[in-house]
Amino acid sequence: MTAPSAAAIARDERTAAATMLNKVPAITAYFWIIKILGTTVGETAADYLNDTLGLGLNKTSVVVGMALVVVLAFQFRARKYIPALYWLAGTLMTDNLVDGHGVSLNVTTIGFSIALAATFIGWYLSERTLSIHTIVTSKREAWYWLTVLFTFALGTSAGDLVSEKLDIGYWKTGLIFVALIGLVALAHFVFGLGEVVSFWAAYILTRPLGASLGDYLLQPHSAGGLNLGTGLTTFTFLAVIVGAVIYLTISRADLQVADESTV
């Protein structure tokens, strides 16, 4: 029997490493549902710590920031996608990046747009791909989470700009972003908009959607909200997320194998 060539061995080693190191879930309905729920919980949980428990914005930012650093440390050390770690990291990203620092929403929206664009450019120049199907090295994972961080910051800032500064209201703002996500889906499935562009466009838009939903559930009636309370909303949504993550952990329904040909 002929021995495998050096090129074949190297290819097999790359495939094995890619499979082991793929750290992002497959993009299924579960992904988008948990993403929106996690975004909402990020909004409501921060308010729960800030207002209900009386930590204040600065202490809440420190607590959540430290928790995020710890979770990301475990996420980077993991050698494969672990649903609990991945979604915990995503849920810990809150709106404290843009609240309470005296900077106008116009400035933060523009600033985070520039930061996100620079991150995309840096990621592409470094890796020649922005595909979430190829998060197979620590370097790409670092680019991925930096991008996620800025998408959350931009989404929150843009959502608050529309709902509060433009005085459109929370539920109407939510509908606007639902419509925008629908347009992205239409552009992708009907008109052939590329997968990478479609994914990141929808990913950015789900943040203001989730934040608007959270604000609508939390804010008092006088401010156009349902006034359900931070505790009820946070723990109800958390229960749904935990149930979904347990299901995914057992079923492995969102496990994907990296494909280096996908860009």
Side-chain angles (χ1 to χ4, degrees):
M1 184 173 63
T2 305
S5 66
I9 293 174
R11 184 175 63 250
D12 291 342
E13 288 177 347
R14 287 196 302 270
T15 301
T19 302
M20 178 179 63
L21 292 174
N22 196 340
K23 306 289 285 296
V24 177
I27 307 307
T28 64
Y30 298 111
F31 179 92
W32 294 114
I33 291 170
I34 300 176
K35 170 66 166 61
I36 295 172
L37 293 177
T39 296
T40 304
V41 168
E43 183 87 6
T44 62
D47 288 346
Y48 180 76
L49 294 173
N50 183 16
D51 301 326
T52 305
L53 297 186
L55 293 183
L57 183 61
N58 290 334
K59 290 182 180 179
T60 297
S61 298
V62 170
V63 169
V64 175
M66 291 178 63
L68 178 60
V69 169
V70 171
V71 172
L72 283 178
F74 281 101
Q75 168 71 15
F76 274 86
R77 286 178 61 86
R79 302 299 291 172
K80 62 181 180 179
Y81 163 62
I82 300 174
L85 276 179
Y86 177 88
W87 288 112
L88 182 56
T91 302
L92 283 169
M93 294 187 180
T94 74
D95 62 347
N96 290 341
L97 284 166
V98 296
D99 281 353
H101 300 288
V103 181
S104 75
L105 291 171
N106 289 329
V107 172
T108 56
T109 300
I110 294 172
F112 285 126
S113 296
I114 294 172
L116 179 58
T119 302
F120 276 132
I121 292 170
W123 182 359
Y124 186 79
L125 291 177
S126 172
E127 303 299 312
R128 295 300 173 183
T129 179
L130 300 176
S131 173
I132 57 133
H133 300 303
T134 59
I135 308 301
V136 296
T137 67
S138 294
K139 185 178 180 181
R140 289 187 179 185
E141 189 175 13
W143 281 115
Y144 173 80
W145 284 109
L146 182 62
T147 302
V148 169
L149 182 68
F150 283 128
T151 63
F152 270 61
L154 173 60
T156 299
S157 184
D160 288 348
L161 177 66
V162 174
S163 63
E164 297 176 4
K165 190 162 185 178
L166 299 183
D167 198 27
I168 290 179
Y170 300 117
W171 70 270
K172 292 180 182 178
T173 297
L175 290 180
I176 289 173
F177 285 104
V178 167
L180 291 174
I181 293 171
L183 289 176
V184 172
L186 180 67
H188 175 65
F189 291 110
V190 177
F191 298 105
L193 182 65
E195 181 184 74
V196 171
V197 175
S198 301
F199 170 79
W200 284 115
Y203 194 95
I204 293 169
L205 292 169
T206 56
R207 175 59 192 179
L209 170 59
S212 298
L213 175 60
D215 284 331
Y216 179 61
L217 295 173
L218 295 183
Q219 295 300 319
H221 299 295
S222 60
L226 295 181
N227 197 29
L228 296 183
T230 57
L232 175 63
T233 305
T234 298
F235 292 113
T236 299
F237 277 48
L238 270 178
V240 177
I241 293 172
V242 169
V245 170
I246 291 174
Y247 169 75
L248 293 174
T249 301
I250 296 172
S251 69
R252 298 165 64 88
D254 65 339
L255 186 67
Q256 68 167 329
V257 176
D259 178 5
E260 285 289 352
S261 67
T262 303
V263 295

